[in-house]
Amino acid sequence: MKARVVVTLKSGVLDPQGKAIEGALAALGFSGVEAARQGRVIDLDLTETDPAAAKARVAEMCEKLLANTVIESYAIEVA
Amino acid sequence: MKAAVVVFPGSNRERDVLRALTLSGSEASTVWHAETVLPEGVDLVVLPGGFSYGDYLRSGAIAARAPIMAAVRRHAQRGGLLLGICNGFQILTEAGLLPGALMRNAGLTFVCREVKLAVERADTPFTAHYQAGQVIRCPVAHHDGNYFADTATLDRLEGEGQVVFRYAEGTNPNGSARDIAGICSANRKVLGLMPHPENLVEEIAGGTDGRPMFESLAAA
């Protein structure tokens, strides 16, 4: 099955890249953007077929490598 | 002092640090990241600067999980000396051996310049040959050097005297919280810093302000 991991900076952690995106959008005339935060998407193809087991395994991967939980949080979707 | 410098794919300052160590009287060799044991009798392990694994995922993230790191962790747990410079500092935070994280520079650009560093503590094995409060020159070269930790952690670091180097005289190049350039563990045996003292150890290279760190280590 497939898993998608979305890693984002925790709220309160300064995101200089998000700030740059905000500035660039404003410069292009896109008004009304109050904030932009940049994250990362990691797609995994897994041999596991049980969704709960897959999710647990991917959570372990996030804790160990895919996210730095000092500054980042993660969300997992399995399908 | 017997030192081992760990080389990861993408490390590029290992020879600089080897030279700084041997010039100052230590015995130093390199260890490949895929090894699982450190050379016998090593007192000091150095994680050098560079771009291990191309900074993929996050700077230092993959190196922090390399095979040699289990031995490096055991070395630190035994009370051995451990120094991470630049990418080495990023690896130490990623490995959880030092608190906090090194984020993208606030100005978003790679910075390669000289800064002023205040030596906050001279009572560590890394800084004994400096005076507390001394301001030295030091080069920096990094893209992800913006030190971040939550307020409680920053307060604890300051309270426990674990801030060893601070950017001084308005030279903070990356937006680091509280101008932090280098921190140590509670037992003072693990030090991580973004600047490169190993690149300022000979007059021919522009100065010797970095040399006392390696002389401190040689005498430790």
Side-chain angles (χ1 to χ4, degrees), chain B residues 4-8 10-18 30-31 45-52 63 82-91 193 196 198:
Chain B
V5 179
V6 180
V7 181
F8 300 94
S11 293
N12 63 16
R13 303 282 177 125
E14 71 276 14
R15 281 195 275 183
D16 307 55
V17 84
L18 278 172
T30 56
V31 185
V45 175
V46 182
L47 308 182
F51 299 89
S52 57
L82 175 57
L83 169 64
I85 303 172
C86 197
N87 190 219
F89 186 15
Q90 295 162 341
I91 294 167
L193 78 166
H196 288 284
E198 78 280 21

PDB file of all heavy atoms in Angstrom, chain B residues 4-8 10-18 30-31 45-52 63 82-91 193 196 198:
ATOM      1  N   ALA B   4      39.893  10.816  16.683  1.00  0.00           N
ATOM      2  CA  ALA B   4      39.389  10.174  15.464  1.00  0.00           C
ATOM      3  C   ALA B   4      38.422  11.146  14.792  1.00  0.00           C
ATOM      4  O   ALA B   4      37.530  11.685  15.447  1.00  0.00           O
ATOM      5  CB  ALA B   4      38.671   8.876  15.805  1.00  0.00           C
ATOM      6  N   VAL B   5      38.641  11.384  13.508  1.00  0.00           N
ATOM      7  CA  VAL B   5      37.774  12.290  12.743  1.00  0.00           C
ATOM      8  C   VAL B   5      36.903  11.425  11.833  1.00  0.00           C
ATOM      9  O   VAL B   5      37.418  10.682  10.993  1.00  0.00           O
ATOM     10  CB  VAL B   5      38.619  13.283  11.908  1.00  0.00           C
ATOM     11  CG1 VAL B   5      37.708  14.202  11.094  1.00  0.00           C
ATOM     12  CG2 VAL B   5      39.557  14.087  12.798  1.00  0.00           C
ATOM     13  N   VAL B   6      35.590  11.499  12.017  1.00  0.00           N
ATOM     14  CA  VAL B   6      34.672  10.659  11.239  1.00  0.00           C
ATOM     15  C   VAL B   6      34.452  11.296   9.862  1.00  0.00           C
ATOM     16  O   VAL B   6      34.178  12.496   9.771  1.00  0.00           O
ATOM     17  CB  VAL B   6      33.319  10.494  11.958  1.00  0.00           C
ATOM     18  CG1 VAL B   6      32.372   9.622  11.136  1.00  0.00           C
ATOM     19  CG2 VAL B   6      33.521   9.887  13.344  1.00  0.00           C
ATOM     20  N   VAL B   7      34.574  10.476   8.827  1.00  0.00           N
ATOM     21  CA  VAL B   7      34.345  10.967   7.464  1.00  0.00           C
ATOM     22  C   VAL B   7      33.070  10.341   6.912  1.00  0.00           C
ATOM     23  O   VAL B   7      32.946   9.121   6.852  1.00  0.00           O
ATOM     24  CB  VAL B   7      35.539  10.636   6.545  1.00  0.00           C
ATOM     25  CG1 VAL B   7      35.298  11.170   5.142  1.00  0.00           C
ATOM     26  CG2 VAL B   7      36.827  11.204   7.125  1.00  0.00           C
ATOM     27  N   PHE B   8      32.128  11.200   6.565  1.00  0.00           N
ATOM     28  CA  PHE B   8      30.873  10.776   5.934  1.00  0.00           C
ATOM     29  C   PHE B   8      30.981  11.080   4.444  1.00  0.00           C
ATOM     30  O   PHE B   8      31.776  11.936   4.045  1.00  0.00           O
ATOM     31  CB  PHE B   8      29.692  11.569   6.510  1.00  0.00           C
ATOM     32  CG  PHE B   8      29.505  11.394   7.990  1.00  0.00           C
ATOM     33  CD1 PHE B   8      30.070  12.288   8.891  1.00  0.00           C
ATOM     34  CD2 PHE B   8      28.755  10.338   8.488  1.00  0.00           C
ATOM     35  CE1 PHE B   8      29.893  12.133  10.263  1.00  0.00           C
ATOM     36  CE2 PHE B   8      28.576  10.176   9.854  1.00  0.00           C
ATOM     37  CZ  PHE B   8      29.145  11.067  10.741  1.00  0.00           C
ATOM     38  N   GLY B  10      30.505  13.222   1.650  1.00  0.00           N
ATOM     39  CA  GLY B  10      30.155  14.643   1.614  1.00  0.00           C
ATOM     40  C   GLY B  10      30.840  15.483   2.675  1.00  0.00           C
ATOM     41  O   GLY B  10      30.734  16.704   2.657  1.00  0.00           O
ATOM     42  N   SER B  11      31.548  14.847   3.614  1.00  0.00           N
ATOM     43  CA  SER B  11      32.367  15.633   4.550  1.00  0.00           C
ATOM     44  C   SER B  11      33.447  16.325   3.719  1.00  0.00           C
ATOM     45  O   SER B  11      33.938  15.760   2.735  1.00  0.00           O
ATOM     46  CB  SER B  11      33.060  14.727   5.574  1.00  0.00           C
ATOM     47  OG  SER B  11      32.131  14.131   6.428  1.00  0.00           O
ATOM     48  N   ASN B  12      33.823  17.547   4.095  1.00  0.00           N
ATOM     49  CA  ASN B  12      34.897  18.192   3.321  1.00  0.00           C
ATOM     50  C   ASN B  12      35.897  18.981   4.172  1.00  0.00           C
ATOM     51  O   ASN B  12      36.807  19.588   3.643  1.00  0.00           O
ATOM     52  CB  ASN B  12      34.330  19.068   2.192  1.00  0.00           C
ATOM     53  CG  ASN B  12      33.492  20.211   2.717  1.00  0.00           C
ATOM     54  OD1 ASN B  12      33.548  20.551   3.895  1.00  0.00           O
ATOM     55  ND2 ASN B  12      32.710  20.834   1.838  1.00  0.00           N
ATOM     56  N   ARG B  13      35.733  18.993   5.484  1.00  0.00           N
ATOM     57  CA  ARG B  13      36.700  19.708   6.317  1.00  0.00           C
ATOM     58  C   ARG B  13      37.527  18.758   7.172  1.00  0.00           C
ATOM     59  O   ARG B  13      38.163  19.184   8.120  1.00  0.00           O
ATOM     60  CB  ARG B  13      35.991  20.702   7.229  1.00  0.00           C
ATOM     61  CG  ARG B  13      35.134  21.732   6.515  1.00  0.00           C
ATOM     62  CD  ARG B  13      35.969  22.847   5.910  1.00  0.00           C
ATOM     63  NE  ARG B  13      35.104  23.759   5.185  1.00  0.00           N
ATOM     64  CZ  ARG B  13      35.045  25.071   5.397  1.00  0.00           C
ATOM     65  NH1 ARG B  13      35.825  25.613   6.305  1.00  0.00           N
ATOM     66  NH2 ARG B  13      34.241  25.830   4.694  1.00  0.00           N
ATOM     67  N   GLU B  14      37.491  17.466   6.832  1.00  0.00           N
ATOM     68  CA  GLU B  14      38.191  16.515   7.694  1.00  0.00           C
ATOM     69  C   GLU B  14      39.697  16.744   7.682  1.00  0.00           C
ATOM     70  O   GLU B  14      40.366  16.609   8.703  1.00  0.00           O
ATOM     71  CB  GLU B  14      37.830  15.067   7.323  1.00  0.00           C
ATOM     72  CG  GLU B  14      38.372  14.543   6.010  1.00  0.00           C
ATOM     73  CD  GLU B  14      37.512  14.897   4.795  1.00  0.00           C
ATOM     74  OE1 GLU B  14      36.628  15.765   4.912  1.00  0.00           O
ATOM     75  OE2 GLU B  14      37.731  14.294   3.733  1.00  0.00           O
ATOM     76  N   ARG B  15      40.237  17.156   6.522  1.00  0.00           N
ATOM     77  CA  ARG B  15      41.680  17.367   6.480  1.00  0.00           C
ATOM     78  C   ARG B  15      42.080  18.633   7.218  1.00  0.00           C
ATOM     79  O   ARG B  15      43.145  18.706   7.815  1.00  0.00           O
ATOM     80  CB  ARG B  15      42.182  17.385   5.031  1.00  0.00           C
ATOM     81  CG  ARG B  15      42.306  15.967   4.500  1.00  0.00           C
ATOM     82  CD  ARG B  15      43.109  15.903   3.254  1.00  0.00           C
ATOM     83  NE  ARG B  15      42.246  16.176   2.110  1.00  0.00           N
ATOM     84  CZ  ARG B  15      42.656  16.144   0.850  1.00  0.00           C
ATOM     85  NH1 ARG B  15      43.912  15.887   0.559  1.00  0.00           N
ATOM     86  NH2 ARG B  15      41.812  16.384  -0.116  1.00  0.00           N
ATOM     87  N   ASP B  16      41.203  19.643   7.168  1.00  0.00           N
ATOM     88  CA  ASP B  16      41.468  20.877   7.915  1.00  0.00           C
ATOM     89  C   ASP B  16      41.563  20.568   9.403  1.00  0.00           C
ATOM     90  O   ASP B  16      42.454  21.050  10.102  1.00  0.00           O
ATOM     91  CB  ASP B  16      40.345  21.905   7.689  1.00  0.00           C
ATOM     92  CG  ASP B  16      40.060  22.165   6.219  1.00  0.00           C
ATOM     93  OD1 ASP B  16      39.793  21.190   5.497  1.00  0.00           O
ATOM     94  OD2 ASP B  16      40.090  23.327   5.807  1.00  0.00           O
ATOM     95  N   VAL B  17      40.623  19.751   9.887  1.00  0.00           N
ATOM     96  CA  VAL B  17      40.590  19.491  11.326  1.00  0.00           C
ATOM     97  C   VAL B  17      41.713  18.536  11.724  1.00  0.00           C
ATOM     98  O   VAL B  17      42.301  18.676  12.800  1.00  0.00           O
ATOM     99  CB  VAL B  17      39.172  19.044  11.774  1.00  0.00           C
ATOM    100  CG1 VAL B  17      38.917  17.585  11.586  1.00  0.00           C
ATOM    101  CG2 VAL B  17      38.925  19.429  13.228  1.00  0.00           C
ATOM    102  N   LEU B  18      42.066  17.606  10.834  1.00  0.00           N
ATOM    103  CA  LEU B  18      43.212  16.725  11.103  1.00  0.00           C
ATOM    104  C   LEU B  18      44.476  17.563  11.272  1.00  0.00           C
ATOM    105  O   LEU B  18      45.271  17.344  12.177  1.00  0.00           O
ATOM    106  CB  LEU B  18      43.431  15.748   9.928  1.00  0.00           C
ATOM    107  CG  LEU B  18      42.561  14.499   9.882  1.00  0.00           C
ATOM    108  CD1 LEU B  18      42.774  13.764   8.562  1.00  0.00           C
ATOM    109  CD2 LEU B  18      42.888  13.557  11.043  1.00  0.00           C
ATOM    110  N   THR B  30      41.498   9.262  10.581  1.00  0.00           N
ATOM    111  CA  THR B  30      40.109   9.330  10.128  1.00  0.00           C
ATOM    112  C   THR B  30      39.429   7.959  10.293  1.00  0.00           C
ATOM    113  O   THR B  30      40.092   6.920  10.294  1.00  0.00           O
ATOM    114  CB  THR B  30      39.994   9.751   8.651  1.00  0.00           C
ATOM    115  OG1 THR B  30      40.762   8.840   7.863  1.00  0.00           O
ATOM    116  CG2 THR B  30      40.481  11.167   8.431  1.00  0.00           C
ATOM    117  N   VAL B  31      38.117   7.993  10.424  1.00  0.00           N
ATOM    118  CA  VAL B  31      37.296   6.775  10.507  1.00  0.00           C
ATOM    119  C   VAL B  31      36.161   6.927   9.512  1.00  0.00           C
ATOM    120  O   VAL B  31      35.486   7.960   9.494  1.00  0.00           O
ATOM    121  CB  VAL B  31      36.656   6.621  11.908  1.00  0.00           C
ATOM    122  CG1 VAL B  31      35.908   5.299  12.002  1.00  0.00           C
ATOM    123  CG2 VAL B  31      37.689   6.722  12.998  1.00  0.00           C
ATOM    124  N   VAL B  45      36.431  12.322  19.617  1.00  0.00           N
ATOM    125  CA  VAL B  45      35.856  12.060  18.290  1.00  0.00           C
ATOM    126  C   VAL B  45      35.425  13.403  17.706  1.00  0.00           C
ATOM    127  O   VAL B  45      34.811  14.221  18.404  1.00  0.00           O
ATOM    128  CB  VAL B  45      34.649  11.101  18.368  1.00  0.00           C
ATOM    129  CG1 VAL B  45      33.985  10.940  17.004  1.00  0.00           C
ATOM    130  CG2 VAL B  45      35.087   9.749  18.903  1.00  0.00           C
ATOM    131  N   VAL B  46      35.783  13.639  16.448  1.00  0.00           N
ATOM    132  CA  VAL B  46      35.395  14.885  15.782  1.00  0.00           C
ATOM    133  C   VAL B  46      34.491  14.561  14.601  1.00  0.00           C
ATOM    134  O   VAL B  46      34.806  13.697  13.780  1.00  0.00           O
ATOM    135  CB  VAL B  46      36.625  15.675  15.278  1.00  0.00           C
ATOM    136  CG1 VAL B  46      36.180  16.996  14.644  1.00  0.00           C
ATOM    137  CG2 VAL B  46      37.623  15.930  16.400  1.00  0.00           C
ATOM    138  N   LEU B  47      33.339  15.251  14.535  1.00  0.00           N
ATOM    139  CA  LEU B  47      32.478  15.185  13.352  1.00  0.00           C
ATOM    140  C   LEU B  47      32.751  16.473  12.588  1.00  0.00           C
ATOM    141  O   LEU B  47      32.433  17.568  13.071  1.00  0.00           O
ATOM    142  CB  LEU B  47      30.996  15.086  13.753  1.00  0.00           C
ATOM    143  CG  LEU B  47      30.636  13.977  14.750  1.00  0.00           C
ATOM    144  CD1 LEU B  47      29.132  13.980  15.020  1.00  0.00           C
ATOM    145  CD2 LEU B  47      31.075  12.616  14.250  1.00  0.00           C
ATOM    146  N   PRO B  48      33.367  16.376  11.406  1.00  0.00           N
ATOM    147  CA  PRO B  48      33.840  17.583  10.717  1.00  0.00           C
ATOM    148  C   PRO B  48      32.745  18.263   9.896  1.00  0.00           C
ATOM    149  O   PRO B  48      31.644  17.746   9.750  1.00  0.00           O
ATOM    150  CB  PRO B  48      34.939  17.028   9.804  1.00  0.00           C
ATOM    151  CG  PRO B  48      34.450  15.662   9.448  1.00  0.00           C
ATOM    152  CD  PRO B  48      33.703  15.148  10.668  1.00  0.00           C
ATOM    153  N   GLY B  49      33.095  19.395   9.347  1.00  0.00           N
ATOM    154  CA  GLY B  49      32.177  20.138   8.498  1.00  0.00           C
ATOM    155  C   GLY B  49      32.054  19.511   7.116  1.00  0.00           C
ATOM    156  O   GLY B  49      32.817  18.624   6.740  1.00  0.00           O
ATOM    157  N   GLY B  50      31.069  19.974   6.385  1.00  0.00           N
ATOM    158  CA  GLY B  50      30.841  19.468   5.032  1.00  0.00           C
ATOM    159  C   GLY B  50      29.358  19.416   4.740  1.00  0.00           C
ATOM    160  O   GLY B  50      28.567  20.132   5.361  1.00  0.00           O
ATOM    161  N   PHE B  51      29.022  18.548   3.807  1.00  0.00           N
ATOM    162  CA  PHE B  51      27.616  18.407   3.405  1.00  0.00           C
ATOM    163  C   PHE B  51      27.306  16.920   3.341  1.00  0.00           C
ATOM    164  O   PHE B  51      27.086  16.365   2.267  1.00  0.00           O
ATOM    165  CB  PHE B  51      27.393  19.082   2.041  1.00  0.00           C
ATOM    166  CG  PHE B  51      27.705  20.547   2.077  1.00  0.00           C
ATOM    167  CD1 PHE B  51      28.992  20.997   1.803  1.00  0.00           C
ATOM    168  CD2 PHE B  51      26.736  21.471   2.428  1.00  0.00           C
ATOM    169  CE1 PHE B  51      29.299  22.357   1.878  1.00  0.00           C
ATOM    170  CE2 PHE B  51      27.039  22.819   2.502  1.00  0.00           C
ATOM    171  CZ  PHE B  51      28.321  23.266   2.225  1.00  0.00           C
ATOM    172  N   SER B  52      27.328  16.270   4.504  1.00  0.00           N
ATOM    173  CA  SER B  52      27.132  14.827   4.526  1.00  0.00           C
ATOM    174  C   SER B  52      25.811  14.475   3.840  1.00  0.00           C
ATOM    175  O   SER B  52      24.792  15.112   4.074  1.00  0.00           O
ATOM    176  CB  SER B  52      27.142  14.303   5.964  1.00  0.00           C
ATOM    177  OG  SER B  52      26.161  14.949   6.745  1.00  0.00           O
ATOM    178  N   ALA B  63      23.427  11.342   8.248  1.00  0.00           N
ATOM    179  CA  ALA B  63      24.697  11.034   8.923  1.00  0.00           C
ATOM    180  C   ALA B  63      24.465  10.661  10.382  1.00  0.00           C
ATOM    181  O   ALA B  63      25.158   9.801  10.928  1.00  0.00           O
ATOM    182  CB  ALA B  63      25.644  12.227   8.825  1.00  0.00           C
ATOM    183  N   LEU B  82      33.695  14.783  22.500  1.00  0.00           N
ATOM    184  CA  LEU B  82      33.052  14.736  21.190  1.00  0.00           C
ATOM    185  C   LEU B  82      32.864  16.166  20.697  1.00  0.00           C
ATOM    186  O   LEU B  82      32.301  17.000  21.410  1.00  0.00           O
ATOM    187  CB  LEU B  82      31.702  14.008  21.336  1.00  0.00           C
ATOM    188  CG  LEU B  82      30.776  13.912  20.131  1.00  0.00           C
ATOM    189  CD1 LEU B  82      31.484  13.249  18.946  1.00  0.00           C
ATOM    190  CD2 LEU B  82      29.533  13.092  20.501  1.00  0.00           C
ATOM    191  N   LEU B  83      33.394  16.434  19.507  1.00  0.00           N
ATOM    192  CA  LEU B  83      33.339  17.791  18.942  1.00  0.00           C
ATOM    193  C   LEU B  83      32.660  17.737  17.576  1.00  0.00           C
ATOM    194  O   LEU B  83      33.058  16.956  16.715  1.00  0.00           O
ATOM    195  CB  LEU B  83      34.772  18.336  18.796  1.00  0.00           C
ATOM    196  CG  LEU B  83      34.979  19.630  17.990  1.00  0.00           C
ATOM    197  CD1 LEU B  83      34.283  20.808  18.663  1.00  0.00           C
ATOM    198  CD2 LEU B  83      36.474  19.925  17.833  1.00  0.00           C
ATOM    199  N   GLY B  84      31.635  18.561  17.385  1.00  0.00           N
ATOM    200  CA  GLY B  84      30.984  18.644  16.073  1.00  0.00           C
ATOM    201  C   GLY B  84      31.109  20.064  15.548  1.00  0.00           C
ATOM    202  O   GLY B  84      30.688  21.013  16.222  1.00  0.00           O
ATOM    203  N   ILE B  85      31.703  20.207  14.372  1.00  0.00           N
ATOM    204  CA  ILE B  85      31.897  21.533  13.796  1.00  0.00           C
ATOM    205  C   ILE B  85      31.000  21.655  12.565  1.00  0.00           C
ATOM    206  O   ILE B  85      31.058  20.810  11.670  1.00  0.00           O
ATOM    207  CB  ILE B  85      33.372  21.749  13.380  1.00  0.00           C
ATOM    208  CG1 ILE B  85      34.309  21.534  14.580  1.00  0.00           C
ATOM    209  CG2 ILE B  85      33.570  23.133  12.770  1.00  0.00           C
ATOM    210  CD1 ILE B  85      35.790  21.549  14.209  1.00  0.00           C
ATOM    211  N   CYS B  86      30.174  22.698  12.526  1.00  0.00           N
ATOM    212  CA  CYS B  86      29.339  23.004  11.365  1.00  0.00           C
ATOM    213  C   CYS B  86      28.413  21.832  11.047  1.00  0.00           C
ATOM    214  O   CYS B  86      27.504  21.563  11.804  1.00  0.00           O
ATOM    215  CB  CYS B  86      30.225  23.413  10.182  1.00  0.00           C
ATOM    216  SG  CYS B  86      29.309  24.257   8.881  1.00  0.00           S
ATOM    217  N   ASN B  87      28.615  21.101   9.971  1.00  0.00           N
ATOM    218  CA  ASN B  87      27.786  19.935   9.694  1.00  0.00           C
ATOM    219  C   ASN B  87      27.855  18.946  10.869  1.00  0.00           C
ATOM    220  O   ASN B  87      26.861  18.281  11.191  1.00  0.00           O
ATOM    221  CB  ASN B  87      28.258  19.255   8.394  1.00  0.00           C
ATOM    222  CG  ASN B  87      27.322  18.162   7.888  1.00  0.00           C
ATOM    223  OD1 ASN B  87      27.776  17.140   7.409  1.00  0.00           O
ATOM    224  ND2 ASN B  87      26.012  18.365   7.978  1.00  0.00           N
ATOM    225  N   GLY B  88      28.996  18.914  11.545  1.00  0.00           N
ATOM    226  CA  GLY B  88      29.138  18.051  12.727  1.00  0.00           C
ATOM    227  C   GLY B  88      28.198  18.464  13.844  1.00  0.00           C
ATOM    228  O   GLY B  88      27.647  17.617  14.561  1.00  0.00           O
ATOM    229  N   PHE B  89      27.991  19.771  14.002  1.00  0.00           N
ATOM    230  CA  PHE B  89      27.034  20.295  14.997  1.00  0.00           C
ATOM    231  C   PHE B  89      25.613  19.891  14.589  1.00  0.00           C
ATOM    232  O   PHE B  89      24.812  19.425  15.404  1.00  0.00           O
ATOM    233  CB  PHE B  89      27.182  21.818  15.077  1.00  0.00           C
ATOM    234  CG  PHE B  89      26.368  22.510  16.156  1.00  0.00           C
ATOM    235  CD1 PHE B  89      25.784  21.829  17.209  1.00  0.00           C
ATOM    236  CD2 PHE B  89      26.217  23.904  16.124  1.00  0.00           C
ATOM    237  CE1 PHE B  89      25.048  22.499  18.199  1.00  0.00           C
ATOM    238  CE2 PHE B  89      25.497  24.581  17.097  1.00  0.00           C
ATOM    239  CZ  PHE B  89      24.901  23.873  18.133  1.00  0.00           C
ATOM    240  N   GLN B  90      25.317  20.023  13.296  1.00  0.00           N
ATOM    241  CA  GLN B  90      23.993  19.613  12.798  1.00  0.00           C
ATOM    242  C   GLN B  90      23.769  18.126  13.078  1.00  0.00           C
ATOM    243  O   GLN B  90      22.674  17.717  13.502  1.00  0.00           O
ATOM    244  CB  GLN B  90      23.885  19.900  11.296  1.00  0.00           C
ATOM    245  CG  GLN B  90      23.941  21.394  10.958  1.00  0.00           C
ATOM    246  CD  GLN B  90      24.266  21.664   9.494  1.00  0.00           C
ATOM    247  OE1 GLN B  90      24.796  20.813   8.777  1.00  0.00           O
ATOM    248  NE2 GLN B  90      23.975  22.885   9.046  1.00  0.00           N
ATOM    249  N   ILE B  91      24.793  17.315  12.883  1.00  0.00           N
ATOM    250  CA  ILE B  91      24.681  15.874  13.115  1.00  0.00           C
ATOM    251  C   ILE B  91      24.444  15.601  14.606  1.00  0.00           C
ATOM    252  O   ILE B  91      23.609  14.768  14.970  1.00  0.00           O
ATOM    253  CB  ILE B  91      25.944  15.134  12.599  1.00  0.00           C
ATOM    254  CG1 ILE B  91      26.051  15.250  11.074  1.00  0.00           C
ATOM    255  CG2 ILE B  91      25.934  13.665  13.022  1.00  0.00           C
ATOM    256  CD1 ILE B  91      27.400  14.839  10.493  1.00  0.00           C
ATOM    257  N   LEU B 193      29.540  23.490  17.412  1.00  0.00           N
ATOM    258  CA  LEU B 193      29.551  24.905  17.032  1.00  0.00           C
ATOM    259  C   LEU B 193      29.489  25.027  15.515  1.00  0.00           C
ATOM    260  O   LEU B 193      29.951  24.145  14.794  1.00  0.00           O
ATOM    261  CB  LEU B 193      30.781  25.633  17.596  1.00  0.00           C
ATOM    262  CG  LEU B 193      32.150  25.467  16.934  1.00  0.00           C
ATOM    263  CD1 LEU B 193      33.106  26.530  17.458  1.00  0.00           C
ATOM    264  CD2 LEU B 193      32.746  24.099  17.177  1.00  0.00           C
ATOM    265  N   HIS B 196      34.119  27.743  12.180  1.00  0.00           N
ATOM    266  CA  HIS B 196      35.214  26.825  11.844  1.00  0.00           C
ATOM    267  C   HIS B 196      36.543  27.259  12.460  1.00  0.00           C
ATOM    268  O   HIS B 196      37.409  27.796  11.748  1.00  0.00           O
ATOM    269  CB  HIS B 196      35.386  26.768  10.320  1.00  0.00           C
ATOM    270  CG  HIS B 196      34.300  26.026   9.616  1.00  0.00           C
ATOM    271  ND1 HIS B 196      34.226  24.651   9.604  1.00  0.00           N
ATOM    272  CD2 HIS B 196      33.243  26.460   8.902  1.00  0.00           C
ATOM    273  CE1 HIS B 196      33.166  24.275   8.916  1.00  0.00           C
ATOM    274  NE2 HIS B 196      32.541  25.348   8.475  1.00  0.00           N
ATOM    275  N   GLU B 198      38.973  25.444  13.055  1.00  0.00           N
ATOM    276  CA  GLU B 198      40.056  24.682  12.416  1.00  0.00           C
ATOM    277  C   GLU B 198      40.588  25.390  11.175  1.00  0.00           C
ATOM    278  O   GLU B 198      41.640  25.020  10.658  1.00  0.00           O
ATOM    279  CB  GLU B 198      39.574  23.256  12.077  1.00  0.00           C
ATOM    280  CG  GLU B 198      38.699  23.100  10.823  1.00  0.00           C
ATOM    281  CD  GLU B 198      37.232  23.473  11.021  1.00  0.00           C
ATOM    282  OE1 GLU B 198      36.908  24.219  11.965  1.00  0.00           O
ATOM    283  OE2 GLU B 198      36.412  23.032  10.182  1.00  0.00           O
TER     284      GLU B 198
END
